[in-house]
Amino acid sequence: MRNNPRPLDVWRRLQDGNRRFVEGHASHPHADEARRQALTGGQAPQAVVVACSDSRVPVEVVFDVGLGDVFVVRTAGEILDPAVLGSVEFAVRSLGVRLVVVMGHEGCGAVAAASRALDEGAIPGGLQRVLVEKVAPSVLAARRQGRTAPGDFERVHVEETIEQLLGRINGLQGDIDAGEVGLVGLRYRLGDGSVETLREEGLGHPAPARQGSPG
C-alpha cells in the first residue's frame, strides 16, 4: 500500500522545506519527543533520496524535514552499487515511498576526480579508485554532448544515475509511468542552499525548463 500523498504533493513539501532553508526560516519539524515515540513502531517515509555523502549536503537539513520523513541513501558521488539499488527498491516496494529523488551537488569531489583522471590519468589508489570508475562514464557522456563545465558534469551525472536506477530496479519505470511513484533529479547549490531541478517524471504535470546557468 502506497503512502497517501500524491508524488507531486511530496515533491512540493520538499520544495517548501528547501525554500524555508534558503530563506533562513527553517522550522525543524518532527524532531521532538512525541515524534520519536510515534516512530518506535515503524516508519512510513514519503520519499527516498539518493545523495552524495558530502558533509556540506545534509539532506534533512536541506529540505527542512525531520525524523521519519525521508529515507536517505548517501554515497560519495551518489554512486550506485547493489546495496544502494536494494535500498531504493526496499523504500519503494516495502515502505511505499511516493517519490524517488537523485540529488547531486555543486563542487562534487567525486565528479572532479573523475574529470581529472580522464584529463591527466590522476587515478586515486585504494578503494577510492571505485569512485572514479563509477563516475567517469558520466563525464564522458557530458563531453559527448559538448558539455565541458564542472557543473555540466554534475548535472549529467545525476541524469546518468537516474537512468541506471530506472534500468536496474525492476518495475520502477512502470510505477512512474502509472503515477504511483514520482521521480526528481536535482543539483544542490552550495552557495545559496537551493536545489536546481534537472528532471521530473510521474508528477502529473510537465517538467519545468532547467534552471540556472552552467558552472
Side-chain angles (χ1 to χ4, degrees), residues 23 41 133 195 206 210 213:
E23 294 173 352
E133 293 172 345
V195 291
R210 295 192 179 193
S213 57

Side-chain angles (χ1 to χ4, degrees), residues 5 36 38 44 76-77 83 112 121 128 130-132 152 155 157 174 180 187 192 197 205 213:
R36 291 198 302 273
Q128 294 180 65
V130 173
L131 305 180
V132 167
D152 290 333
R155 294 179 181 96
H157 183 50
E180 287 293 314
R187 176 174 174 262
D192 64 12
T197 303
H205 66 98
S213 57

Side-chain angles (χ1 to χ4, degrees), residues 83-166:
V84 173
L85 292 166
S87 296
V88 175
E89 185 178 77
F90 169 73
V92 173
R93 302 284 173 241
S94 299
L95 298 180
V97 301
R98 302 307 307 272
L99 185 69
V100 175
V101 179
V102 176
M103 186 168 72
H105 67 93
E106 179 183 18
C108 181
V111 174
S115 179
R116 283 195 304 272
L118 292 171
D119 288 338
E120 307 167 7
I123 302 175
L127 293 176
Q128 294 180 65
R129 181 188 183 101
V130 173
L131 305 180
V132 167
E133 293 172 345
K134 292 280 191 178
V135 178
S138 297
V139 176
L140 291 171
R143 291 179 177 180
R144 283 195 298 270
Q145 299 171 23
R147 303 169 71 179
T148 58
D152 290 333
F153 298 154
E154 292 156 2
R155 294 179 181 96
V156 171
H157 183 50
V158 170
E159 293 279 3
E160 292 293 311
T161 302
I162 288 172
E163 290 303 320
Q164 289 187 54
L165 283 176
L166 294 177

Side-chain angles (χ1 to χ4, degrees), residues 10-85:
V10 178
W11 174 218
R12 283 176 173 165
R13 289 176 187 174
L14 294 182
Q15 288 178 304
D16 289 344
N18 181 245
R19 189 175 302 111
R20 292 192 301 271
F21 170 67
V22 170
E23 294 173 352
H25 301 140
S27 61
H28 309 292
H30 297 161
D32 59 9
E33 170 68 16
R35 181 66 168 180
R36 291 198 302 273
Q37 293 303 319
L39 291 171
T40 57
Q43 61 174 323
Q46 296 177 0
V48 55
V49 182
V50 178
C52 183
S53 297
D54 194 298
S55 62
R56 300 168 294 177
V57 194
V59 173
E60 289 87 350
V61 175
V62 167
F63 292 112
D64 192 28
V65 294
L67 300 172
D69 290 329
V70 291
F71 189 86
V72 182
V73 186
R74 298 179 67 180
T75 60
E78 69 272 6
I79 64 172
L80 304 181
D81 64 14
V84 173
L85 292 166

